[in-house]
Amino acid sequence: MSIVGMGALFCLLSAACFGAMAIFGKSAYDAGVHVGDLLLLRFAIAAVMLLVIARKTGALKGLSRRSIAAGLAMGGVGYATQSGLFFGALERMDASLLALILYAYPVLVMIGAVALGCEKTSVRRVAALLVASLGTVLVLGGAASGSLDGLGTAMGFGAAIAYTAYILAGDRIGAAIPPVGLAALVCTGATITFGLVSAVRGGPDLDFAPAGWGWIAAIAVISTVAAILMFFAGMARVGPSTASILSTLEPVITVALAAVAFAESLAPLQLVGGALVLSATAVIQWPTRPAAPDSAGAPVLAGCVALAAEPVFGVDDAGRVDNDERA
């Protein structure tokens, strides 16, 4: 297989791993795992694994205290907020619907980047915004017949907004930290936050079914560590724009797995709306011109933020190489 083909495969596998996270989460809830304990254990396990990898690869070597503090803050504030809202919403609504709601964030990143002067408006981006808005209306309208949970929906959009702020704020921070090192710091920061929350609540409640440990491990190992590392590996071979476009497979995987695991289904109108949202995301990500090479001959990203299509921890995020990481 060619280098580009292998890179595309890594990106698709990463999207599949991220897409399965909501399914693992709902299964953990069924086993009696509380959302706060799930997030604490998820990030603690992922942090240990990523810190070991970062140490072996030298990804944390030579970092300033300021960079380390910034990375921890990205996880402890930004990513912890996004993850808390996402998994809170997951307790109240279907995984498939939540996946489509969360995918409003690439469009929100575009709006934020334009507002901050990092990107310029264009006919293509305005059209993508209108298409995504119509798609969101159809997705929500199709569920308005009674199955739409108001608080869950608000939390889902809150997760998309929090992720948008995380990407925009972390764009410059992540540029000074190697991707794996940043991912390790973000997970460590999130672990600290959820550890404090757990302490206030009286400590973690581990009195859940044994199967809960398996689902937590799946979220930490498959949908966090493996997903991030495969995305990085894929992006290094195909570039950030192609990697982000391929990552739009994620909500498709979530919808498909939710249908198999929980018999969830979307109305035809919602499927059309979801297709519009994903199409708009692909249009936003599609490169208009090749990235200009830097003095060393390596491609660099134009603008102050790469409009990633997938939650990752910083590269891109998601190294996704401006900074993005998913729930």
Side-chain angles (χ1 to χ4, degrees):
M1 182 179 292
S2 67
I3 293 178
V4 173
M6 183 62 71
L9 178 60
F10 281 140
C11 290
L12 293 174
L13 288 174
S14 171
C17 289
F18 277 121
M21 180 161 54
I23 311 306
F24 296 152
K26 275 196 170 293
S27 298
Y29 294 156
D30 290 341
V33 181
H34 184 274
V35 61
D37 299 324
L38 183 154
L39 290 170
L40 171 60
L41 294 171
R42 170 208 178 180
F43 284 115
I45 294 171
V48 170
M49 295 180 67
L50 288 169
L51 284 170
V52 170
I53 295 172
R55 179 179 176 81
K56 288 184 176 296
T57 59
L60 295 175
K61 187 176 181 179
L63 292 182
S64 66
R65 291 183 179 180
R66 181 176 181 180
S67 293
I68 293 174
L72 292 173
M74 282 181 63
V77 179
Y79 205 64
T81 299
Q82 189 271 346
S83 296
L85 289 170
F86 177 86
F87 278 93
L90 188 63
E91 283 190 307
R92 308 180 64 90
M93 64 193 307
D94 286 351
S96 53
L97 180 57
L98 177 58
L100 295 178
I101 290 175
L102 180 65
Y103 247 68
Y105 84 83
V107 176
L108 296 178
V109 170
M110 180 194 73
I111 295 173
V114 170
L116 293 173
C118 299
E119 300 284 344
K120 295 181 179 180
T121 57
S122 67
V123 173
R124 183 182 71 163
R125 286 176 174 169
V126 171
L129 173 60
L130 294 176
V131 169
S133 299
L134 174 60
T136 301
V137 170
L138 293 179
V139 167
L140 297 179
S145 58
S147 61
L148 188 65
D149 183 278
L151 179 57
T153 300
M155 294 175 74
F157 277 111
I161 293 171
Y163 196 52
T164 297
Y166 166 83
I167 293 173
L168 293 172
D171 179 56
R172 297 188 181 280
I173 295 174
I177 307 174
V180 174
L182 181 58
L185 291 173
V186 166
C187 284
T188 301
T191 300
I192 294 172
T193 293
F194 289 116
L196 292 174
V197 172
S198 178
V200 171
R201 292 174 44 238
D205 178 8
L206 304 182
D207 187 23
F208 47 78
W213 287 104
W215 296 121
I216 291 171
I219 293 174
V221 178
I222 298 175
S223 296
T224 304
V225 177
I228 292 170
L229 296 180
M230 282 192 287
F231 186 88
F232 291 163
M235 187 182 64
R237 291 166 172 80
V238 302
S241 294
T242 299
S244 291
I245 292 171
L246 292 172
S247 293
T248 56
L249 177 68
E250 178 186 338
V252 177
I253 293 294
T254 301
V255 170
L257 291 178
V260 173
F262 308 122
E264 291 183 11
S265 62
L266 295 173
L269 201 60
Q270 290 176 297
L271 292 174
V272 172
L276 290 175
V277 171
L278 296 183
S279 297
T281 297
V283 168
I284 291 171
Q285 301 296 334
W286 204 272
T288 55
R289 62 178 183 275
D294 62 14
S295 58
V300 296
L301 296 177
C304 65
V305 63
L307 300 178
E310 172 132 3
V312 189
F313 290 94
V315 174
D316 80 352
D317 167 169
R320 272 175 189 206
V321 161
D322 80 289
N323 281 311
D324 146 344
E325 176 125 348
R326 219 139 302 138

